[in-house]
Amino acid sequence: MASIICGSLAFDTIMNFEGQFSDQILPTQLHNLNVSFLVPTLRRDFGGCAGNIAYSLNLLGGVALPMATVGSDGDDYLQRLRTLGISTEYVKKVDDTYTAQAMIMTDKANNQITAFHPGAMMQAHLTRIEARTDVGLGIISPDGRDAMLQHAEQFNAAGIPFVFDPGQGLPMFDGQELARFVDQSTWVTVNDYEGKMLSDRTGLSSEEISRRVEGLVVTLGSEGCEVWVDGIKTLVAPERAVEVVDPTGCGDAFRGALLFGLEQGWPLARCAALGNRLGALKIAQRGPQNYQFERAELGL
């Protein structure tokens, strides 16, 4: 069965700052912020949540159907997806704008500052989700606001269970809208910061959210993740990385593994454990879509 992956396709400009942001930003001067970071290395990668999740799921042997938009400069991305064997049937090209662009700066403590230009992503709602016999799952990851709202409704109407993964798009929605997303979805996944914001805006604790869906996953970075099912929390231990090189795309690698496990009908904790293992492999490589692995490395 295939998974529809709603989200962005973007070009990532990756920069590395050899110090720590905290050494350059004065807490007493945040009202008058004017800082510059010297970044000796710079590269451009294929990225975006839909692209990164599709890459992860495809490597694991799943069938990924990214649903996204690219701009007039998106031909290289379309060709890359096809070369990888990933379908582009749900990828729409919009000629009067650029593909989404993320400018990501990482310091030596793996803190990140990101500037994001949405570009063609803001027209992602033009592509609709319809019921298909070969589609068993979906995920809503950060995308245009209208697209996230409409695709959730369309997944629900089509009877396709989906993961709600609001990510950096979470601040676009108020508590009522977020509660609606939760009630429409089958699973929810957030990092710990997003989890706190989701609880604050909806007034629902992690325990309460988990009782409205089949499961809630809260990732904790190097500390592993929490899996909440029917109000019960299970801590899934982290997988230690051989080397910490670049955290960009680790969360998306985790989500691709989550989808793969759900496709197999695994318990949520087992899905999350695979996500931890895949995230540990990804963080040892630069870029969100440059890692490779043997299935035996993941216990598959």
Side-chain angles (χ1 to χ4, degrees):
M1 297 294 282
S3 294
I4 295 178
I5 302 170
C6 301
S8 61
L9 295 178
F11 294 115
D12 290 346
T13 300
I14 311 293
M15 299 161 282
N16 291 310
F17 174 56
E18 295 182 343
Q20 290 190 214
F21 298 142
S22 58
D23 295 333
Q24 305 294 317
I25 299 174
L26 300 176
T28 58
Q29 295 298 311
L30 292 178
H31 65 288
N32 188 32
L33 192 63
N34 187 359
V35 294
S36 176
F37 301 99
L38 178 66
V39 288
T41 61
L42 182 148
R43 70 181 189 281
R44 195 175 193 230
D45 287 324
F46 295 99
C49 293
N52 297 344
I53 295 171
Y55 179 85
S56 169
L57 180 58
N58 186 62
L59 279 182
L60 288 165
V63 179
L65 295 173
M67 178 175 281
T69 48
V70 296
S72 57
D73 56 346
D75 287 338
D76 287 348
Y77 210 141
L78 291 170
Q79 184 56 48
R80 170 178 171 77
L81 292 172
R82 293 168 185 149
T83 300
L84 291 170
I86 297 173
S87 171
T88 59
E89 62 182 291
Y90 282 140
V91 180
K92 180 180 179 63
K93 186 178 180 184
V94 182
D95 287 325
D96 60 353
T97 187
Y98 290 112
T99 301
Q101 314 273 332
M103 282 66 74
I104 304 167
M105 184 164 48
T106 306
D107 73 4
K108 69 177 183 180
N110 284 319
N111 299 304
Q112 291 186 318
I113 295 175
T114 300
F116 187 75
H117 169 66
M121 189 184 80
M122 298 308 293
Q123 300 187 51
H125 62 281
L126 297 177
T127 307
R128 289 186 54 83
I129 294 165
E130 304 288 351
R132 284 176 46 164
T133 57
D134 61 335
V135 171
L137 287 173
I139 185 169
I140 291 181
S141 58
D143 207 348
R145 173 182 162 81
D146 289 344
M148 294 179 72
L149 289 167
Q150 292 179 30
H151 288 160
E153 296 284 352
Q154 291 161 13
F155 271 134
N156 204 37
I160 299 172
F162 72 93
V163 178
F164 177 47
D165 168 34
Q168 63 265 33
L170 195 154
M172 294 190 295
F173 305 103
D174 62 26
Q176 184 175 0
E177 290 167 328
L178 291 168
R180 174 65 175 159
F181 276 121
V182 170
D183 288 339
Q184 290 176 313
S185 66
T186 312
W187 305 274
V188 176
T189 180
V190 288
N191 64 28
D192 52 347
Y193 179 83
E194 294 157 1
K196 291 183 179 64
M197 183 181 293
L198 181 61
S199 291
D200 287 346
R201 294 203 172 184
T202 61
L204 299 170
S205 67
S206 294
E207 178 181 350
E208 290 169 325
I209 291 171
S210 74
R211 294 187 185 279
R212 293 189 175 208
V213 294
E214 290 190 14
L216 165 68
V217 179
V218 182
T219 58
L220 307 172
S222 62
E223 300 304 314
C225 62
E226 296 174 354
V227 172
W228 291 81
V229 177
D230 198 22
I232 305 298
K233 179 177 72 172
T234 301
L235 183 63
V236 179
E239 189 78 19
R240 298 302 175 189
V242 174
E243 186 178 9
V244 176
V245 175
D246 180 9
T248 308
C250 283
D252 295 328
F254 181 98
R255 283 147 179 80
L258 183 69
L259 283 177
F260 178 79
L262 292 173
E263 284 183 355
Q264 311 309 306
W266 293 354
L268 194 56
R270 183 180 177 188
C271 301
L274 178 63
N276 286 347
R277 290 196 294 275
L278 191 55
L281 288 174
K282 193 254 85 72
I283 204 170
Q285 302 293 327
R286 294 198 183 280
Q289 295 181 26
N290 299 323
Y291 59 100
Q292 297 285 334
F293 55 83
E294 297 293 333
R295 288 173 62 87
E297 294 179 76
L298 296 170
L300 298 174

